[in-house]
């Protein structure tokens, strides 16, 4: 099914292999215009129960299926994603507001993650194999997994959860953000006939659906990506029945620029590190510490890049940066900008947006060396605003970069990569890059330290998050 222009889009929940519509709906808004894109089905409590019941009923047969067969099905899911790339990317553009090439890359990432995950092997360790005893430790699936995702990469976030959960033998209920449910609902439709009924369910809802999911006794595991604030609630709710959790939470990533960099070379990389997807990336650079020797030159280059960037409605023209993705996030970003203005911090470019125009646009904004204690430095902006922070002494830069509650990613930029590596070794973060940033690989785990999360996604370690070890020990000799 592809969209027929002029006809209203009809989206359905996927529950037990069936389309489920009817009942209440909620509006999905295009952030570039403020207008309604489509009405999404609003999952009721009863429908959530049905999804969990279907997933639970499907679990034993799915877990018992040969791993080779689960691998084959993951690859067919990837093929189906490839066949629908343009349509899925079009939905992401409309509901999330990113430029089309970024949305296409996001959808391609899902197919890549599914294929690469399909090749992973669950380890089996023989602990003892002799005349006395045979003992083996295997990894078993957990049961029914809830996958809860945020709005910044609606398809991309699903890719970190769906493939590994299914390969390990779990069944899944996927719940995207209420701001961006459409591409995920469509994925449910695209995958519906490929998998046994109930293995992969997709629900969407406004209001309390997230807390219904985390409080539901039928889930064995909650794999959650979102803010630290919500992550705490998820963990508290899961604790009531000791449901397993993986929490991928907020970040306030620092980048440290050493004085020996080639400013012209690193400036575009740093610009996109901070402003890609309008700054709405968990691993985006959110604080830029620049040595005083290169601060003015780098600031100048970044201003030039910001002023060149084309900001606009991604469904109407070729743009580099779309709007902030929803009104709630726009208000967060505007409140931070207002705080900067009220306290007299200088905008090198950008600043508070003018009212009106329909969409939630904020021009890429650079804040000139605000105090370390300012909100724009301490809080996660998750939008197109970057504080530039001057340092003289490397120990001071490292100490400031490590301050705060978050520890998701960090990067170091250096002419001499070995010197960069020495600094990187002192940074507290789940991933630290030198002379690059945000490089993710389906086979490499990533996750947050401190308040940025618990557990990891991707790679073998990410797959193991959807399993539990079981040891089978067989006594061979009589005592
Ligand atoms: P959010 O916490 O508001 O929402 C995330 C998801 O949780 C949504 O699906 C939402 O509907 C659901 N939810 C809301 N309240 C809930 C509740 N009480 N119980 C259960 N679920 C609930 O986050 P957001 O605004 O969608 O996303 C932005 C945040 O996500 C940022 O902090 C960003 O850094 C973080 N993020 C982290 C990663 C990572 O990998 N660490 C990746 C992307 C985004």
């Amino acid at each position: 099914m592809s969209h027929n222009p002029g006809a209203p889009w009809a989206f359905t929940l996927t529950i037990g292999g069936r389309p489920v519509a009817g009942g209440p709906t909620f509006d999905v808004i295009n952030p570039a215009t403020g207008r309604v894109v489509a009405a999404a089905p609003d999952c009721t409590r009863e429908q959530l129960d049905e999804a969990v019941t279907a997933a639970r009923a499907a679990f034993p047969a799915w877990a018992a299926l040969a791993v080779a067969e689960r691998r084959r099905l993951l690859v067919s899911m990837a093929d189906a994603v490839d066949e629908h790339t343009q349509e899925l990317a079009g939905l992401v553009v409309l509901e999330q507001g990113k430029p089309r090439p970024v949305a296409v890359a996001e959808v391609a990432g899902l197919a890549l993650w599914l294929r690469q995950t399909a090749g992973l092997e669950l380890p089996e360790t023989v602990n003892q194999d002799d005349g006395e005893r045979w003992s083996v430790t295997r990894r078993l699936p957990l049961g029914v997994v809830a996958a809860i995702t945020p709005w910044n990469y609606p398809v991309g976030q699903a890719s970190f959860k769906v493939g590994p959960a299914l390969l390990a033998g779990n069944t899944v209920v996927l719940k995207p953000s209420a701001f961006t449910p459409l591409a995920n609902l469509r994925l449910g439709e695209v995958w519906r006939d490929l998998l046994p009924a109930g293995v992969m369910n997709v629900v969407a809802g406004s209001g309390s659906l997230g807390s219904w999911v985390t409080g539901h006794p039928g889930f064995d595991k909650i794999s959650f990506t979102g803010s630290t604030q919500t992550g705490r609630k998820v963990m508290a709710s899961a604790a009531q029945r000791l449901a397993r959790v993986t929490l991928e939470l907020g970040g306030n990533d620092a980048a440290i620029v050493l004085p020996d960099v080639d400013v012209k070379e690193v400036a575009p990389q740093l610009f996109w590190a901070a402003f890609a997807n309008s700054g709405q990336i968990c691993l985006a650079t959110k604080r830029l510490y620049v040595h005083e020797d290169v601060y003015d030159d780098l600031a100048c280059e970044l201003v030039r890049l910001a002023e060149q960037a084309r900001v606009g409605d991604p469904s109407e023209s070729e743009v580099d940066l779309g709007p902030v993705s929803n009104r709630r996030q726009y208000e967060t970003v505007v409140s931070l900008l207002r705080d900067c203005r009220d306290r007299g911090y200088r905008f090198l470019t950008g600043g508070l947006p003018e009212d009106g125009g329909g969409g939630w646009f904020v021009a890429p904004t650079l804040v000139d060396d605000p105090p370390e204690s300012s909100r724009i430095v301490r809080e996660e902006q998750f939008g197109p605003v970057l504080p530039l922070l001057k340092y003289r002494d490397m120990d001071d830069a490292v100490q400031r970069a490590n301050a705060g509650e978050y520890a998701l990613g960090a990067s170091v930029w250096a002419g001499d990569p070995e010197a960069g590596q020495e600094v990187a070794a002192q940074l507290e973060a789940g991933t630290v890059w030198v002379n690059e940033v945000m490089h993710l690989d389906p086979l490499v785990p990533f996750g947050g330290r401190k308040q940025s999360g618990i557990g990891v996604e991707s790679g073998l370690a990410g797959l193991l998050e959807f399993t539990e070890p079981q040891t089978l020990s067989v006594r061979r000799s009589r005592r």
Side-chain angles (χ1 to χ4, degrees):
M1 176 188 84
S2 65
H3 181 54
N4 169 16
W9 249 310
F11 291 89
T12 50
L13 309 174
T14 296
I15 296 179
R18 287 179 303 108
V20 176
T25 60
F26 63 100
D27 288 341
V28 180
I29 309 289
N30 179 347
T33 61
R35 288 200 287 271
V36 175
V37 178
D42 201 347
C43 183
T44 62
R45 231 184 228 277
E46 293 67 35
Q47 287 168 333
L48 176 63
D49 285 342
E50 284 167 29
V52 177
T53 303
R56 190 144 290 289
F59 172 65
W62 181 250
L65 206 61
V67 180
E69 182 58 7
R70 294 204 296 266
R71 288 189 208 291
R72 189 189 68 74
L73 288 168
L74 251 60
V75 173
S76 357
M77 290 167 79
D79 293 342
V81 169
D82 283 343
E83 281 164 30
H84 293 85
T85 299
Q86 293 305 328
E87 186 196 348
L88 290 163
L91 290 172
V92 171
V93 171
L94 282 178
E95 64 182 341
Q96 200 279 337
K98 58 174 54 99
R100 192 169 184 95
V102 185
V104 168
E106 178 177 346
V107 177
L110 170 59
L112 175 71
W113 250 257
L114 284 166
R115 288 203 177 88
Q116 294 279 315
T117 302
L120 289 171
E121 295 283 348
L122 280 169
E124 200 171 284
T125 312
V126 176
N127 308 307
Q128 193 176 343
D129 184 7
D130 55 24
E132 183 190 27
R133 175 178 297 110
W134 180 68
S135 161
V136 63
T137 301
R138 299 178 299 155
R139 306 294 308 207
L140 300 185
L142 294 162
V144 181
V145 169
I148 303 181
T149 57
W151 46 261
N152 64 330
Y153 277 81
V155 169
Q157 295 298 342
S159 62
F160 303 138
K161 304 184 186 303
V162 170
L166 293 178
L167 182 72
N170 304 279
T171 55
V172 174
V173 177
L174 171 64
K175 190 213 87 67
S177 165
F179 293 120
T180 54
L182 301 180
N184 277 244
L185 290 170
R186 188 72 190 103
L187 274 174
E189 293 163 4
V190 163
W191 289 334
R192 202 174 277 158
D193 297 331
L194 294 177
L195 297 168
V199 166
M200 182 70 225
N201 307 274
V202 184
V203 296
S206 57
S208 304
L209 182 59
S211 51
W212 295 346
V213 168
T214 53
H216 199 293
F219 286 108
D220 301 288
K221 160 100 192 182
I222 314 287
S223 176
F224 172 85
T225 302
S227 63
T228 296
Q229 201 185 14
T230 311
R232 291 190 184 110
K233 292 185 195 163
V234 170
M235 191 160 176
S237 177
Q240 300 310 309
R241 54 186 199 287
L242 297 185
R244 278 43 178 169
V245 290
T246 295
L247 302 174
E248 299 295 339
L249 308 178
N252 194 12
D253 293 12
I256 300 183
V257 180
L258 273 57
D260 66 341
V261 291
D262 177 334
V263 167
K264 283 221 170 349
E265 192 187 319
V266 297
Q269 299 176 65
L270 288 167
F271 179 80
W272 291 110
F275 292 103
N277 203 32
S278 298
Q280 302 162 120
I281 304 182
C282 53
L283 290 161
T285 296
K286 294 174 182 149
R287 296 174 288 154
L288 185 57
Y289 292 93
V290 187
H291 192 272
E292 60 179 7
D293 288 357
V294 286
Y295 183 93
D296 290 343
D297 288 350
L298 184 58
C300 199
E301 278 300 303
L302 292 173
V303 167
R304 193 177 60 74
L305 291 160
E307 288 173 358
Q308 270 175 9
R310 297 164 300 175
V311 181
D313 179 346
S315 53
E316 295 213 327
S317 52
E318 272 193 32
V319 298
D320 302 310
L321 299 174
V324 173
S325 198
N326 53 70
R327 176 176 287 285
R328 190 185 73 184
Q329 191 59 31
Y330 176 80
E331 280 165 5
T332 301
V333 173
V334 166
S335 136
L336 289 168
L337 289 171
R338 205 171 280 135
D339 184 69
C340 290
R341 185 201 58 191
D342 293 350
R343 290 172 192 277
Y345 311 151
R346 193 159 77 100
F347 297 126
L348 294 170
T349 184
L352 266 169
E354 283 168 23
D355 284 340
W360 298 310
F361 290 98
V362 175
T365 297
L366 295 163
V367 189
D368 186 19
D369 205 19
E372 200 60 31
S373 58
S374 58
R375 283 185 60 204
I376 192 59
V377 178
R378 299 269 51 92
E379 295 180 22
E380 181 188 32
Q381 64 275 52
F382 216 61
V385 184
L386 178 68
L388 304 190
L389 300 145
K390 206 179 282 186
Y391 75 89
R392 178 178 298 170
D393 173 60
M394 184 51 68
D395 289 343
D396 172 54
V398 167
Q399 187 267 323
R400 289 157 73 189
N402 284 339
E405 59 172 0
Y406 296 116
L408 191 55
S411 62
V412 181
W413 301 79
D416 170 7
E418 277 183 26
Q421 222 173 302
E422 264 177 43
V423 177
Q426 301 170 59
L427 293 179
E428 292 169 6
T431 309
V432 186
W433 290 275
V434 176
N435 291 339
E436 64 170 1
V437 69
M438 290 197 283
H439 171 73
L440 296 182
D441 183 307
L443 302 181
V444 178
F446 74 91
R449 296 172 61 187
K450 299 186 347 191
Q451 299 294 300
S452 287
I454 293 180
V456 294
E457 294 193 312
S458 294
L460 178 60
L463 176 63
L464 296 183
E465 297 265 330
F466 294 99
T467 69
E468 240 162 18
Q470 184 200 47
T471 298
L472 176 64
S473 185
V474 180
R475 178 88 186 184
R476 283 176 169 157
S477 67
R478 295 241 165 89
R479 269 173 227 278

